[in-house]
Amino acid sequence: MTSVVLETSMGQVTLELYWDHAPKTCKNFSELARRGYYNGLVFHRIIPDFMIQGGDPTGTGRGGTSIYGQKFEDEFNPELRFVGAGILAMANSGPNTNGSQFFISLGPTPFLDDKHTIFGRVTTGMRVVQRIGAVKTDSQDSHIVLFTEVRDLVDNDIVGKISKGLLVLIGIGVVCGELDDTPADMEAIAKKILAVRVFDDENGTMWKHGVKDIGGEVLCVSQFTLMAKTTKGSKPDFHGAMGSESSRSMYSNLLSRLGELYDPSKIQDGRFGAMMSVSIMNEGPVTIPIDSRKFEYVQPVSRSMQSTNSPTS
C-alpha cells in the first residue's frame, strides 16, 4: 500500500507514504489503518498554523500502541524536512517513543527536524486539513473531528475513490485498420477530458469550470465490466473493445498524458480491466460521452464495421 485515505467528518484526505525512507513507520501506520484501529477516533489536538494531531484511542494524547506491541524507534532521513504544510509525521514523547499517534503540519516547522519521524505527505485534501486546522480550540488546543473511516486503497480492494472530480470510463475501440483507436486518440481524449466544463463556478453558475479549475481528481478505468449503482445517467457499453495487450499500452499512455497536462497526483488508475462496482454517494452523476473522432458516430462505414466507441468517458 502506498496511500491511505482518511475519511473525516470534514472531508477526505489522501496520504502518500514514504516506504523507502521510513519503512517501519509506514508499516505501522498502514497496518493500523487496515485493521480499522483509527476508525472513530478524533483529532484530539489542533494548533492553528502548526499542526493537527490524531491517532489516540483515548483522545487524551497519552494513549495508543504500535503494531510492534511497544514503542518503536525513530526513522530520520536527511532528505525529509518540515519545510511546509501537509507533512505527515509521528507524534512522540521523546526519542524512540513512537506508537499510533501522528500529526499533519500546517506550515513550516524546522524545529521538528530530526525530532519526529516524517513518513508521508498529503497528496489530496489539503483544504480539508486547513479547515480542520482553523477550527476553534479550547484551552487544551483540542477539538473533536471524527475519523469516520480510514481505508487502504489496495489491501481492501478499493481501487479508487474521489470526493470531487471526474470518473472517466474509457473504451479503447477496435473496428479494422485505419478506424482502430491510436495513440493520437489518447492525446485527443486526454485534452477533452480536462476541457469539459461540468462544475459550478464561485457564484454557483453551472457548467463553468473544468476539473483543473476546481483542483479536482480524475479516476480512470478502461476495458472494464461495469455494474453501476447510479440514479442518473447511462451505463456505457463497450462491446467491440480492443484486446488487452494493445489497449493496456494505450491506456497507460492516456494516464501519463493526463498527468502531464494536469497534475500526476490528481490522476488515479482505477485498475485496467476491472470488474467494477460503482456507487455514487450524492444524487448521482451527470454522464457525458466524449469521443476522439466524432465522424465514427455520425457516419459509420458499414454496419459490420460500426464502432461503438472511441475512447469515451
Side-chain angles (χ1 to χ4, degrees):
M1 181 183 69
T2 58
S3 299
V4 167
V5 172
L6 302 181
E7 288 284 358
T8 80
S9 56
M10 297 186 75
Q12 176 181 288
V13 179
T14 303
L15 303 170
E16 175 190 355
L17 305 187
Y18 296 153
W19 286 87
D20 291 340
H21 297 84
K24 191 167 186 176
T25 306
C26 290
K27 181 179 179 180
N28 178 67
F29 184 77
S30 62
E31 180 62 19
L32 289 175
R34 190 189 67 80
R35 294 176 185 178
Y37 184 89
Y38 293 127
N39 292 359
L41 303 190
V42 304
F43 285 109
H44 61 272
R45 192 177 186 210
I46 298 173
I47 305 178
D49 301 319
F50 178 31
M51 61 88 184
I52 60 174
Q53 182 174 331
D56 177 6
T58 71
T60 65
R62 296 186 293 273
T65 59
S66 75
I67 63 171
Y68 307 111
Q70 299 179 351
K71 304 297 184 180
F72 65 96
E73 66 272 16
D74 299 314
E75 293 181 293
F76 300 139
N77 190 295
E79 296 180 4
L80 302 178
R81 291 291 182 261
F82 288 91
V83 295
I87 295 172
L88 175 65
M90 291 299 291
N92 61 43
S93 56
N96 304 312
T97 58
N98 299 290
S100 64
Q101 294 186 46
F102 63 92
F103 66 92
I104 301 173
S105 66
L106 297 174
T109 53
F111 52 89
L112 298 181
D113 289 343
D114 296 326
K115 294 181 180 178
H116 293 266
T117 299
I118 296 173
F119 66 100
R121 69 182 182 99
V122 174
T123 55
T124 61
M126 193 59 212
R127 291 183 181 179
V128 174
V129 173
Q130 291 168 340
R131 286 199 297 270
I132 295 173
V135 170
K136 292 183 179 180
T137 59
D138 60 22
S139 59
Q140 299 300 314
D141 296 319
S142 62
H143 185 89
I144 295 176
V145 180
L146 291 176
F147 292 116
T148 57
E149 191 172 10
V150 178
R151 293 197 281 190
D152 179 329
L153 292 179
V154 177
D155 293 348
N156 289 348
D157 204 31
I158 298 171
V159 298
K161 187 173 183 292
I162 58 177
S163 56
K164 189 171 185 180
L166 299 176
L167 170 62
V168 183
L169 310 179
I170 307 291
I172 301 175
V174 57
V175 185
C176 68
E178 64 182 18
L179 292 183
D180 293 357
D181 287 326
T182 68
D185 291 288
M186 301 301 104
E187 174 75 16
I189 210 67
K191 292 179 179 178
K192 289 186 177 183
I193 288 168
L194 298 178
V196 65
R197 297 183 180 183
V198 294
F199 300 101
D200 300 352
D201 65 11
E202 295 77 6
N203 299 318
T205 305
M206 297 176 65
W207 313 105
K208 291 295 184 181
H209 283 332
V211 67
K212 293 174 65 176
D213 299 321
I214 66 164
E217 299 162 278
V218 181
L219 170 59
C220 299
V221 181
S222 181
Q223 313 305 68
F224 54 86
T225 300
L226 176 64
M227 302 174 291
K229 304 170 186 176
T230 62
T231 58
K232 294 182 180 179
S234 60
K235 301 178 182 181
D237 180 12
F238 293 137
H239 292 94
M242 186 179 292
S244 295
E245 185 174 344
S246 300
S247 57
R248 187 186 299 272
S249 175
M250 278 199 277
Y251 176 61
S252 296
N253 290 339
L254 173 64
L255 292 177
S256 297
R257 189 60 180 138
L258 283 169
E260 292 169 359
L261 293 171
Y262 181 20
D263 178 349
S265 68
K266 300 286 189 180
I267 309 302
Q268 295 191 36
D269 178 6
R271 186 179 296 171
F272 181 92
M275 177 71 75
M276 188 173 67
S277 178
V278 177
S279 297
I280 307 298
M281 304 307 293
N282 54 25
E283 73 275 10
V286 174
T287 302
I288 300 177
I290 305 174
D291 57 271
S292 61
R293 288 181 276 176
K294 187 68 174 180
F295 70 87
E296 292 185 14
Y297 290 94
V298 178
Q299 217 169 19
V301 175
S302 69
R303 183 176 297 275
S304 63
M305 293 174 59
Q306 193 171 10
S307 172
T308 54
N309 283 331
S310 285
T312 304
S313 66

